[in-house]
């Protein structure tokens, strides 16, 4: 039981490049979330999903897209990366009012 | 709307001191859940506690204790006899329901020195 995993752990992008962050959970959870963490800002919700095939916007969705084609995977895409998207990205899945977080992805956009 | 305020940005204590981290929340929901997470220097988020709005009993787990007071909308966290390994950023968070995201405070950075 791996819990919540995130791929990759680190990435450096140039402005304008695209990439996809993968989140996978093996706990059969319906709810999944993507957050970003910036210094002094806590964690802020980007997008979330309440089940396979469904997604919704969170507090800071601009510049990101998501997909939940399979229950166990929640993908976060950056179509045209900007320096403002330099951050640490956390994925989480939830059951019974408890969220389980992945280890995070540190993304730098230059 | 929900909001979590952690007014203490940084706290520095000497080992073995007791320290309390403050958390004040705002919500219009009558049912809600409060959380504390620890983020050590390694970066992962470690779940510490969940408390629902109907349970105001204080909780103690080893050196950790939590004081939930609905009257003041506070959910404070106390570490007794702090240790260097307690050095981390601590986040308080709030949610109204399952399937809803957590609303996080901005975190309190705790430094415990020998």
């Amino acid at each position: 039981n791996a819990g919540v995993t995130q791929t990759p752990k680190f990435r450096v992008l140039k402005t304008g490049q695209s990439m996809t962050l993968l989140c996978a959970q093996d706990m059969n959870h319906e709810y999944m979330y993507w957050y970003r963490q910036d210094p002094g800002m806590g964690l802020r919700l980007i997008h979330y999903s309440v089940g396979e095939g469904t997604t919704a916007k969170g507090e800071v969705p601009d510049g990101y897209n998501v997909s939940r084609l399979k229950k166990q995977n929640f993908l976060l895409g950056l179509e045209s990366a900007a320096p403002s998207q330099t951050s640490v990205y956390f994925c989480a899945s939830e059951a019974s009012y408890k969220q389980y977080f992945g280890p995070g992805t540190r993304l730098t956009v230059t | 709307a929900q909001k979590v305020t952690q007014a203490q940005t940084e706290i520095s204590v000497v080992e073995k001191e007791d320290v309390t981290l403050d958390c004040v929340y705002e919500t219009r929901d009558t049912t809600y859940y409060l959380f504390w997470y620890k983020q050590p220097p390694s970066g992962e988020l470690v779940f510490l506690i969940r408390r629902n709005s109907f349970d105001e009993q204080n909780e103690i787990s080893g050196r950790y204790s939590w004081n939930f007071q609905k009257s003041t909308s506070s959910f404070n966290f106390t570490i007794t006899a702090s240790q260097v390994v307690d050095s981390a950023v601590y986040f308080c968070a709030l949610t109204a329901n399952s399937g809803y995201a957590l609303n996080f405070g901005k975190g309190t950075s705790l430094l415990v020195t020998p």
Side-chain angles (χ1 to χ4, degrees):
Chain A
N1 190 336
V4 180
T5 59
Q6 292 182 233
T7 309
K9 287 185 170 52
F10 303 94
R11 186 71 186 270
V12 178
L13 287 179
K14 294 187 188 304
T15 298
Q17 288 185 321
S18 63
M19 78 163 294
T20 300
L21 282 66
L22 171 63
C23 175
Q25 53 98 1
D26 60 3
M27 296 174 281
N28 203 36
H29 291 168
E30 292 290 341
Y31 308 129
M32 296 186 74
Y33 309 85
W34 275 107
Y35 296 89
R36 60 178 287 173
Q37 182 181 20
D38 302 297
M41 296 295 293
L43 278 77
R44 294 180 293 169
L45 181 68
I46 306 172
H47 285 279
Y48 65 101
S49 169
V50 299
E52 181 179 316
T54 71
T55 63
K57 294 180 180 179
E59 179 186 355
V60 289
D62 293 342
Y64 304 96
N65 57 73
V66 288
S67 64
R68 185 98 181 268
L69 298 179
K70 293 183 179 180
K71 187 177 184 178
Q72 63 268 33
N73 296 335
F74 193 27
L75 278 63
L76 178 71
L78 287 74
E79 290 188 348
S80 180
S84 60
Q85 294 177 304
T86 293
S87 189
V88 180
Y89 292 85
F90 285 98
C91 175
S93 69
E94 185 212 323
S96 301
Y97 303 94
K98 181 179 174 183
Q99 292 200 8
Y100 299 78
F101 284 86
T105 294
R106 185 172 294 275
L107 175 65
T108 302
V109 183
T110 61
Chain B
Q2 299 184 334
K3 185 179 178 182
V4 175
T5 302
Q6 295 181 254
Q8 304 151 309
T9 305
E10 295 180 353
I11 300 175
S12 182
V13 299
V14 177
E15 205 170 19
K16 297 184 184 178
E17 285 185 7
D18 298 347
V19 58
T20 295
L21 309 181
D22 298 332
C23 173
V24 174
Y25 63 92
E26 297 175 29
T27 181
R28 293 181 180 178
D29 298 287
T30 55
T31 302
Y32 51 89
Y33 294 79
L34 293 159
F35 301 78
W36 276 95
Y37 283 85
K38 174 182 179 180
Q39 187 175 43
S42 52
E44 73 273 22
L45 286 159
V46 179
F47 169 84
L48 295 178
I49 189 172
R50 179 188 67 207
R51 173 68 72 214
N52 75 53
S53 53
F54 297 108
D55 183 2
E56 286 193 72
Q57 277 193 327
N58 292 330
E59 180 153 342
I60 298 174
S61 176
R63 296 182 297 107
Y64 294 171
S65 62
W66 291 268
N67 183 354
F68 176 32
Q69 291 195 339
K70 289 177 75 171
S71 61
T72 55
S73 297
S74 64
F75 187 43
N76 296 338
F77 173 32
T78 298
I79 302 174
T80 303
S82 59
Q83 300 177 0
V84 172
V85 293
D86 295 327
S87 296
V89 179
Y90 291 86
F91 291 99
C92 182
L94 166 70
T95 188
N97 210 341
S98 190
Y100 286 66
L102 292 173
N103 288 281
F104 282 85
K106 294 185 177 180
T108 297
S109 178
L110 174 65
L111 177 64
V112 182
T113 55

